[in-house]
């Protein structure tokens, strides 16, 4: 079938008016499309509150982990109780894309991230610089790669998807990162950075294929969704030799790259499989990841 027919999926159950525009909740992230030049207009990455001062001191940099969660399914459900009965409305979506495509995306990420950091004047060290360090070896790296897992299986990281499949750049071992992660991990990274006199940056991204919304009130109740490739959850943990505490830079926008990745829609009302075009999904995912990587590199530079 013609891809354009399935470029945008918009399903609605109930009496709500339909809209193709992303409408974030009050105080939620703004929606920003990646520009034709592959960049995001403005600044959409910054340190978490009270962590800005801990970004300084970045000079020599090693990036031992870049992890990507690819959303593989999402579900929204609302239940409404009326005078006579209780009704439930739901929408379930699953992405169909081969793991080889996800691995190919991650295979390019190390070079992309390091190029962006170098462009900001940082000196790059090999990603395996600390692989033989005792503290690094002592971190339990038991993250599940290539399996569908629920949101937030790693500390402090969420999105709107029901399930995600994680892969890493260079097939590096996966574990929970973040300046607010488990003490056993953050302490080892802080101490390694101080002892080796280098900065350690650990990246996480989540690539989502849909945007679901469910509302339930006295007037109407509905569930609706739109297929759009986007990143709304991403962060980079920063550990420098100058500080006894790590910092985290987070993405503060919902960055989108359109719906060209949708090749076909299969299923019945309320339960659909979104078949992705391998070429378009790979290209658009890399566009998103590259754009966010640039934002992170600029935010780190600004913190010096």
């Amino acid at each position: 079938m013609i891809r354009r027919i399935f470029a945008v999926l918009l399903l609605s159950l109930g009496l709500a008016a339909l809209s193709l525009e992303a409408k974030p909740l009050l105080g939620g992230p703004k929606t920003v499309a990646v520009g034709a030049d592959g960049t995001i207009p403005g600044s959409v990455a910054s340190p978490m509150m009270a962590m800005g001062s801990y970004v300084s001191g970045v000079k020599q940099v090693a990036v031992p982990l870049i992890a990507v969660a690819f959303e593989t399914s999402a579900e929204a459900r609302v239940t409404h109780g009326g005078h006579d009965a209780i009704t439930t409305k739901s929408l379930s979506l699953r992405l169909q894309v081969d793991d080889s495509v996800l691995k190919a995306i991650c295979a390019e990420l190390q070079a992309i991230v390091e190029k962006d950091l170098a462009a900001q004047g940082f000196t790059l060290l090999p990603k395996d610089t600390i692989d033989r360090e005792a503290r690094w070896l002592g971190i339990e790296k038991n993250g599940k790669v290539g399996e569908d897992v629920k949101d937030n299986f790693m500390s402090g990281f969420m999105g709107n998807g029901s399930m995600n499949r994680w892969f890493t750049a260079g097939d590096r071992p996966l574990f929970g990162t973040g300046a607010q992660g488990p003490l056993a991990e953050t302490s080892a990274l802080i101490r390694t950075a101080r002892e080796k006199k280098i900065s350690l940056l650990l990246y996480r991204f989540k690539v989502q294929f849909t945007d679901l919304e469910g509302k339930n009130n006295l007037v109407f109740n509905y569930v609706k969704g739109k297929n759009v490739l986007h990143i709304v959850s991403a962060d980079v943990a920063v550990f420098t030799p100058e500080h006894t505490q790590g910092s985290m830079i987070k993405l503060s926008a919902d960055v989108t790259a359109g719906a060209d990745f949708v090749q076909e829609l299969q299923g019945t009302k309320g339960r659909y499989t979104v078949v992705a075009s391998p070429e378009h999904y790979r290209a658009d995912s890399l566009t998103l990841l590259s754009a966010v990587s640039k934002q992170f590199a600029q935010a780190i530079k600004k913190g010096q």
Side-chain angles (χ1 to χ4, degrees), residues 139 176-192 239 246:
I139 294 175
T177 63
Q180 294 179 320
L183 181 61
E185 298 165 4
T186 57
S187 177
L189 295 168
I190 291 169
R191 289 171 178 247
T192 300
F239 302 94

Side-chain angles (χ1 to χ4, degrees), residues 68 70 97 99-110 112 168-169 207 278 281-286 289:
V68 183
F70 294 96
V97 62
D99 280 359
S100 63
V101 178
L102 310 183
K103 292 177 181 178
I105 293 168
C106 288
E108 298 190 42
L109 268 184
Q110 193 80 36
I112 290 171
T168 63
V207 178
Y281 184 90
R282 177 176 176 273
D284 290 350
S285 293
L286 285 171
L289 292 162

Side-chain angles (χ1 to χ4, degrees), residues 7 14-15 34 48 133 177 213 259 302:
L15 304 177
V34 178
M48 289 183 63
E133 297 297 319
T177 63
E213 179 184 3
K302 185 177 180 180

Side-chain angles (χ1 to χ4, degrees), residues 157-160 204-208 231-235 251 253:
F157 194 53
M158 289 193 70
N160 75 346
R204 297 183 297 184
F205 304 89
K206 178 174 179 176
V207 178
Q208 298 177 224
I231 294 179
V232 68
S233 297
D235 57 50
L251 181 67

